[in-house]
Amino acid sequence: MSDNYRTREERRKAKQQTKKTNTNKKGKGLFKKSLTAFGIIMLIMLIGGAVSVFGILRGAPDLDPDRLTLAQNPEIYDRNGELMTTLQTAENRRSVNINDVPALMKDAVLSVEDVRFYDHFGLDMRRIGGAVVANVTGGFGSEGASTITQQVVKNLFLTMDKTMARKIQEQYLAIRLEQQYTKDQILEMYLNAIYYSGGRYGVVEAADYYFSKELDELTVADAALLAGIPQRPNHFNPFNNPEGAEQRRNIVIGLMEKHGKISAEEAEEARSISVQDQLNRSERDPNPYQVFLEQALTEVEAIDGIEPSDIYTSGLKIHTTLDQDLQQYVEQVMESGDPSIFPNDKIQAGITLLDTKTGEVLAIGGLREEPETQFSYNWATKPRNPQQPGSTIKPILDYGPAVNELKWSTYHQIVDEPYNFVSTGDPVRNASGNHRGSVSMREALKDSLNVPAVKAFNEVGVDKAKAFGERLGLNLDSITEAYSIGGFSKGVTPFEMAGAYAAFGNNGQYNRPHTVTRIEFQDGQTINLSPEPVAAMEDYTAFMLTDMMKTVVQSGTGTNAAVSGVPIAGKTGSSNLDREVRERYGLTSGVRDSWFAGYSTELTAAVWAGYASPEDGVIQLGTDDARVASNLFRTVMSYAHENREVSDFVQPDSVVRVAIERSTGLLPSEYTPQSEIVNEYFVRGTEPSNVSEEFEQTEADSVRGLQAVYNEEAHEIQISWDYPEDLRDQFSFRLEIKGPDQSDFSTVDITKNMEYRLSSPEYGETYTIRVTAISDSDSNLTSDPAETQVTIPEEEIEEEEEIIDDLFEDENNENEAPENENNDQEENEGNPEENNNGNDQNEDQNQGDQGNGPGQGNNQGNGQGQGQGQGNQGSGQGQGQGNQGPPDQGQGNNDEDDSSGNNNSEENNDSADE
């Protein structure tokens, strides 16, 4: 029993032991199960997290290189390479190469944004740890740990949301970006991508916007200010919040000093500067010279492969032909309202000024006021209404083709007569309403005659005229006869006309007028846009048309456009109002368009003037309105030529200048008067070779007005004559004289002069003078001789014996005379009608002395006998006709005749008249 009992006891104990053992095993199993369950949960969470992170990373964008190319504003440069403006867009940005960023600017950015930038792999673990603590205590997103690499990723590839997913993607992409690009490349991306407020992106645009400086001009204070703005761009905008911006700037200065980028002295000096003293807002007009810029952008848009959007986002550098000085002057003149140019405020104008040799446009004036909107109309390149060229088209469609194709000379004769358009039968009218008959091409262009122009157009033919105009850049889809005098359907612009006219001044080489010379892309690629010249015409055509258009300016319709000291060629033009407009507005006169286009060897300008609408007015010919185009041309071209060396147009070898006879067009003969000789230009090989017979002579004109006058005081014969002025240079004169004791004439001289003096002629002799005209080129061609005579008076000699006899005779007579007779004589002395002084009272035939022309006539007549004595007749050539002495002058006691003489000789009177 005891064994069984023990056995039961043992069995009970054993059972208790087993139960206890089972209890221990059960507790251990529960822990194990719990641990297993936790592990499973953690594994599930880890797998879920990994899956989530994987999903987040899978949603991260690719590092597309195209997205690293930032949208940038185009930069516009003038002809001298000076930055003129940066066009404004939604994001105004200009990029810079990292090598062009000064160390000062880099140090400022790295000191405040990422001081260990060159040491980490895209993530700064030390900054991440600090940010984790801050985020636990202050909430997620309270502080960032973004490196510059992360900021580049955020700005270029991600949104600005503060989420865990975006942060994971940012860190992941930052590491990848560091693997694909160098640190300098990443820093360059940052400096070009970051926003600086005010619509400015990138450090280059920011430096210009806030300080009007280039990067290499920045000071420590400037660099610190810029580096501090990106944390909160709008808040730290110094224009809006100078106090906040200054505090932020000083923090950056302190960090630069802390990290050894600047010294303590430099830091103190930078802090001492007021932010407001730093600021100098850029005054660069975002759209200066708008009409010119719009033309430049239009040309860029026309380039194959460039979309309009590329212009504003690709950071193009557009190099233009603009001369800023000339552009400013043109705009000043256009907007000035100068009454010497513009008679009122309503008349409009457009002008294009370009380089004659290259076609580079230097300035454009499109409006007389500031444009209200961009890419609107203007009168120089995009007129509101079609502009008819009027007579400015004549060199292009009429006379230019005639010289080029038919080799017409500048003398070529065209009959100006009543004429109708061939195609319509409508009459062609000159502005004057009259016709001149046969005129030269030069004269027809000078005075802008319409009939000769239409005739020239028809003789050349429509096709050749059209081809000539198209080579000069005109769009001529289809033309009619009306085009020959400017009756276009679509019209032309000053931009186009300036280009066309420049070819005449450039030896026939046409350069398309252009405002852009080249474009530079960010990758260094360059497109050259300067056009290649086109041979639009022969050089002889260009020169001969130029010379005719010089005549237009010198003496034709274009004299008002002349520029002092500058050889200018050009043409006026005007277009009539059409019938519908005249009827609608009740107009009986006036023109719609007024033009002047002209050029020197250096510059070309084309000007249009007119009213925007007939409601504003119409141009009346002969008024100030009609001179606006030429006034504006002269004003601008005068200024543009200052301090510019200008030569005259050079005659090419293909042209010869020939003196021809005006009436025949042939070479002048030796008999052609100089007044009938003109110089004209011919294409070499077409000049005349025949000599004109128009003025040939078989007998020369005789001399006129031959006179021979004796000068007593000089004791010489003065001979003179006259001859037609236009023949004097072709003839000489043979002077012959026949004197006393000569049976024939002897030649004294052959001379070009028309006077001669024969000294010391013999007293009392008669001389015959003969003058004959002789051709210088043909001695057989002579005139009929002209003759005249002159008689030399006797020399005056008072003999001593006669004087003594006279004295004795007078004494005897006095002794014999009765007393009463002596009294009578005394009463009568001095009375020329009664003072016979002798016994000559029976006859009234006695003559007093005849005076000796000039000088004092002292010949005393000694009449004797029965009153028949005749006083000695004094002879000689006086000054004109002698005065007849009184008839009853017995002894001729006129002792002192006056200088007019008392000649009573009919023969002597005749000589005096001659």
Side-chain angles (χ1 to χ4, degrees), residues 800-814:
E800 191 173 323
E801 293 180 356
E802 291 180 352
I803 295 175
I804 294 173
D805 292 342
D806 289 342
L807 290 175
F808 280 113
E809 184 176 353
D810 290 341
E811 184 178 351
N812 292 332
N813 289 336
E814 289 175 0

mmCIF file of all heavy atoms in Angstrom, residues 800-814:
data_model
loop_
_atom_site.group_PDB
_atom_site.id
_atom_site.type_symbol
_atom_site.label_atom_id
_atom_site.label_comp_id
_atom_site.label_asym_id
_atom_site.label_seq_id
_atom_site.Cartn_x
_atom_site.Cartn_y
_atom_site.Cartn_z
ATOM 1 N N GLU A 800 53.857 185.765 -135.198
ATOM 2 C CA GLU A 800 54.192 187.006 -134.491
ATOM 3 C C GLU A 800 53.962 188.245 -135.364
ATOM 4 O O GLU A 800 53.464 189.265 -134.913
ATOM 5 C CB GLU A 800 55.656 186.937 -134.057
ATOM 6 C CG GLU A 800 56.050 188.058 -133.092
ATOM 7 C CD GLU A 800 57.442 187.857 -132.561
ATOM 8 O OE1 GLU A 800 57.811 186.667 -132.312
ATOM 9 O OE2 GLU A 800 58.151 188.835 -132.400
ATOM 10 N N GLU A 801 54.293 188.166 -136.697
ATOM 11 C CA GLU A 801 54.151 189.334 -137.583
ATOM 12 C C GLU A 801 52.691 189.729 -137.740
ATOM 13 O O GLU A 801 52.353 190.903 -137.787
ATOM 14 C CB GLU A 801 54.763 189.038 -138.960
ATOM 15 C CG GLU A 801 56.276 188.870 -138.889
ATOM 16 C CD GLU A 801 56.856 188.584 -140.280
ATOM 17 O OE1 GLU A 801 56.042 188.463 -141.227
ATOM 18 O OE2 GLU A 801 58.076 188.455 -140.395
ATOM 19 N N GLU A 802 51.827 188.753 -137.886
ATOM 20 C CA GLU A 802 50.411 189.046 -138.067
ATOM 21 C C GLU A 802 49.861 189.771 -136.844
ATOM 22 O O GLU A 802 49.036 190.670 -136.949
ATOM 23 C CB GLU A 802 49.639 187.754 -138.300
ATOM 24 C CG GLU A 802 49.953 187.100 -139.655
ATOM 25 C CD GLU A 802 49.180 185.824 -139.854
ATOM 26 O OE1 GLU A 802 48.529 185.382 -138.882
ATOM 27 O OE2 GLU A 802 49.185 185.264 -140.963
ATOM 28 N N ILE A 803 50.352 189.381 -135.684
ATOM 29 C CA ILE A 803 49.884 190.040 -134.466
ATOM 30 C C ILE A 803 50.299 191.510 -134.453
ATOM 31 O O ILE A 803 49.517 192.407 -134.132
ATOM 32 C CB ILE A 803 50.458 189.309 -133.242
ATOM 33 C CG1 ILE A 803 49.890 187.890 -133.168
ATOM 34 C CG2 ILE A 803 50.150 190.080 -131.957
ATOM 35 C CD1 ILE A 803 50.479 187.052 -132.087
ATOM 36 N N ILE A 804 51.556 191.784 -134.912
ATOM 37 C CA ILE A 804 52.045 193.187 -134.931
ATOM 38 C C ILE A 804 51.255 194.007 -135.937
ATOM 39 O O ILE A 804 50.836 195.137 -135.670
ATOM 40 C CB ILE A 804 53.557 193.230 -135.258
ATOM 41 C CG1 ILE A 804 54.316 192.554 -134.092
ATOM 42 C CG2 ILE A 804 54.031 194.656 -135.465
ATOM 43 C CD1 ILE A 804 55.809 192.388 -134.394
ATOM 44 N N ASP A 805 51.040 193.454 -137.164
ATOM 45 C CA ASP A 805 50.281 194.160 -138.181
ATOM 46 C C ASP A 805 48.881 194.483 -137.687
ATOM 47 O O ASP A 805 48.348 195.557 -137.944
ATOM 48 C CB ASP A 805 50.190 193.341 -139.473
ATOM 49 C CG ASP A 805 51.556 193.229 -140.155
ATOM 50 O OD1 ASP A 805 52.445 194.048 -139.829
ATOM 51 O OD2 ASP A 805 51.706 192.299 -140.984
ATOM 52 N N ASP A 806 48.294 193.556 -137.030
ATOM 53 C CA ASP A 806 46.940 193.778 -136.532
ATOM 54 C C ASP A 806 46.903 194.926 -135.539
ATOM 55 O O ASP A 806 45.978 195.734 -135.527
ATOM 56 C CB ASP A 806 46.398 192.502 -135.860
ATOM 57 C CG ASP A 806 46.096 191.432 -136.893
ATOM 58 O OD1 ASP A 806 45.977 191.774 -138.082
ATOM 59 O OD2 ASP A 806 45.951 190.231 -136.478
ATOM 60 N N LEU A 807 47.942 194.995 -134.722
ATOM 61 C CA LEU A 807 47.973 196.075 -133.727
ATOM 62 C C LEU A 807 48.077 197.444 -134.398
ATOM 63 O O LEU A 807 47.389 198.393 -134.018
ATOM 64 C CB LEU A 807 49.157 195.862 -132.760
ATOM 65 C CG LEU A 807 49.008 194.674 -131.792
ATOM 66 C CD1 LEU A 807 50.296 194.507 -130.990
ATOM 67 C CD2 LEU A 807 47.830 194.899 -130.865
ATOM 68 N N PHE A 808 49.001 197.554 -135.417
ATOM 69 C CA PHE A 808 49.136 198.842 -136.111
ATOM 70 C C PHE A 808 47.859 199.206 -136.835
ATOM 71 O O PHE A 808 47.455 200.355 -136.878
ATOM 72 C CB PHE A 808 50.310 198.796 -137.112
ATOM 73 C CG PHE A 808 51.644 198.991 -136.435
ATOM 74 C CD1 PHE A 808 52.580 197.977 -136.381
ATOM 75 C CD2 PHE A 808 51.968 200.226 -135.862
ATOM 76 C CE1 PHE A 808 53.809 198.185 -135.766
ATOM 77 C CE2 PHE A 808 53.198 200.433 -135.251
ATOM 78 C CZ PHE A 808 54.128 199.395 -135.188
ATOM 79 N N GLU A 809 47.244 198.226 -137.508
ATOM 80 C CA GLU A 809 46.025 198.488 -138.263
ATOM 81 C C GLU A 809 44.922 198.979 -137.339
ATOM 82 O O GLU A 809 44.184 199.900 -137.657
ATOM 83 C CB GLU A 809 45.600 197.225 -138.993
ATOM 84 C CG GLU A 809 44.374 197.450 -139.895
ATOM 85 C CD GLU A 809 44.040 196.199 -140.678
ATOM 86 O OE1 GLU A 809 44.829 195.206 -140.630
ATOM 87 O OE2 GLU A 809 43.011 196.196 -141.327
ATOM 88 N N ASP A 810 44.820 198.367 -136.177
ATOM 89 C CA ASP A 810 43.793 198.800 -135.222
ATOM 90 C C ASP A 810 44.037 200.235 -134.754
ATOM 91 O O ASP A 810 43.111 201.022 -134.598
ATOM 92 C CB ASP A 810 43.781 197.868 -134.001
ATOM 93 C CG ASP A 810 43.255 196.515 -134.375
ATOM 94 O OD1 ASP A 810 42.589 196.390 -135.424
ATOM 95 O OD2 ASP A 810 43.496 195.529 -133.601
ATOM 96 N N GLU A 811 45.338 200.577 -134.607
ATOM 97 C CA GLU A 811 45.674 201.935 -134.132
ATOM 98 C C GLU A 811 45.307 202.987 -135.174
ATOM 99 O O GLU A 811 44.748 204.026 -134.855
ATOM 100 C CB GLU A 811 47.167 201.997 -133.800
ATOM 101 C CG GLU A 811 47.577 203.344 -133.202
ATOM 102 C CD GLU A 811 49.044 203.379 -132.832
ATOM 103 O OE1 GLU A 811 49.679 202.274 -132.893
ATOM 104 O OE2 GLU A 811 49.540 204.434 -132.479
ATOM 105 N N ASN A 812 45.603 202.697 -136.478
ATOM 106 C CA ASN A 812 45.274 203.638 -137.549
ATOM 107 C C ASN A 812 43.771 203.825 -137.644
ATOM 108 O O ASN A 812 43.288 204.936 -137.869
ATOM 109 C CB ASN A 812 45.832 203.156 -138.900
ATOM 110 C CG ASN A 812 47.368 203.202 -138.898
ATOM 111 O OD1 ASN A 812 47.974 204.014 -138.188
ATOM 112 N ND2 ASN A 812 47.972 202.368 -139.741
ATOM 113 N N ASN A 813 43.079 202.771 -137.561
ATOM 114 C CA ASN A 813 41.628 202.870 -137.673
ATOM 115 C C ASN A 813 41.039 203.727 -136.562
ATOM 116 O O ASN A 813 40.089 204.467 -136.764
ATOM 117 C CB ASN A 813 40.990 201.479 -137.633
ATOM 118 C CG ASN A 813 41.271 200.686 -138.902
ATOM 119 O OD1 ASN A 813 41.532 201.277 -139.964
ATOM 120 N ND2 ASN A 813 41.196 199.361 -138.801
ATOM 121 N N GLU A 814 41.632 203.619 -135.399
ATOM 122 C CA GLU A 814 41.118 204.396 -134.285
ATOM 123 C C GLU A 814 41.383 205.897 -134.512
ATOM 124 O O GLU A 814 40.552 206.741 -134.184
ATOM 125 C CB GLU A 814 41.787 203.948 -132.971
ATOM 126 C CG GLU A 814 41.319 202.567 -132.516
ATOM 127 C CD GLU A 814 42.082 202.124 -131.289
ATOM 128 O OE1 GLU A 814 42.945 202.868 -130.808
ATOM 129 O OE2 GLU A 814 41.809 200.996 -130.831
#
